[in-house]
């Protein structure tokens, strides 16, 4: 499994309420997306950073989404280019499902 942290360093601080509206408008785009296990949106307490934390089945699944077209879309939405960090996730605990997943 791969975790990606996509971050936008915002030029102007935002509020949780503003970002909630923005996130709700983009969330349906990620439903049913091949290879995406989970996405959590975030905004920092000071409102200067926002983004998403994604859990993917593989790096290839993530790379299929993070295209030039996707980057253009998100930069248009947030006004700044995204920064993407890739992390390996060998084990994931899901308390809602009561499972522990181990990467292949």
């Amino acid at each position: 499994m791969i975790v990606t942290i996509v971050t936008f360093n915002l030029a102007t601080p935002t509020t949780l309420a503003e970002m909630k509206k923005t996130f709700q408008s983009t969330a349906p785009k990620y439903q049913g997306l091949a290879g995406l296990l989970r996405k959590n949106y975030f905004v920092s307490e000071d409102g200067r950073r926002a983004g998403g934390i994604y859990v993917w089945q593989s790096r290839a699944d993530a790379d299929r989404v993070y295209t030039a077209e996707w980057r253009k879309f998100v930069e248009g939405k947030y006004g700044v280019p995204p920064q993407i960090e890739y992390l390996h996730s060998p084990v994931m605990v899901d308390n809602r499902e009561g499972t522990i997943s181990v990467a292949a």
Side-chain angles (χ1 to χ4, degrees):
M1 290 178 286
I2 294 291
V3 172
T4 57
I5 302 172
V6 176
T7 303
F8 306 97
N9 293 311
L10 305 172
T12 305
T14 188
T15 66
L16 184 58
E18 289 171 347
M19 291 311 296
K20 185 176 179 180
K21 287 179 189 175
T22 300
F23 294 157
Q24 285 179 306
S25 75
T26 63
K29 178 182 177 91
Y30 296 95
Q31 280 188 305
L33 193 60
L36 180 63
L37 302 176
R38 175 178 214 104
K39 177 178 181 179
N40 288 75
Y41 289 87
F42 73 87
V43 59
S44 63
E45 289 186 347
D46 66 3
R48 295 189 175 276
R49 284 184 308 121
I53 301 168
Y54 302 72
V55 180
W56 299 97
Q57 288 179 347
S58 70
R59 171 73 186 250
D61 291 322
D63 288 342
R64 270 194 305 278
V65 172
Y66 302 140
T67 62
E69 182 179 293
W70 175 86
R71 289 173 187 267
K72 184 177 178 181
F73 167 78
V74 295
E75 185 171 351
K77 198 74 158 163
Y78 300 101
V80 293
Q83 297 173 350
I84 304 172
E85 181 178 7
Y86 292 85
L87 306 160
H88 291 283
S89 178
V91 178
M92 181 174 64
V93 176
D94 187 325
N95 287 329
R96 286 184 172 185
E97 297 293 325
T99 61
I100 297 174
S101 301
V102 178

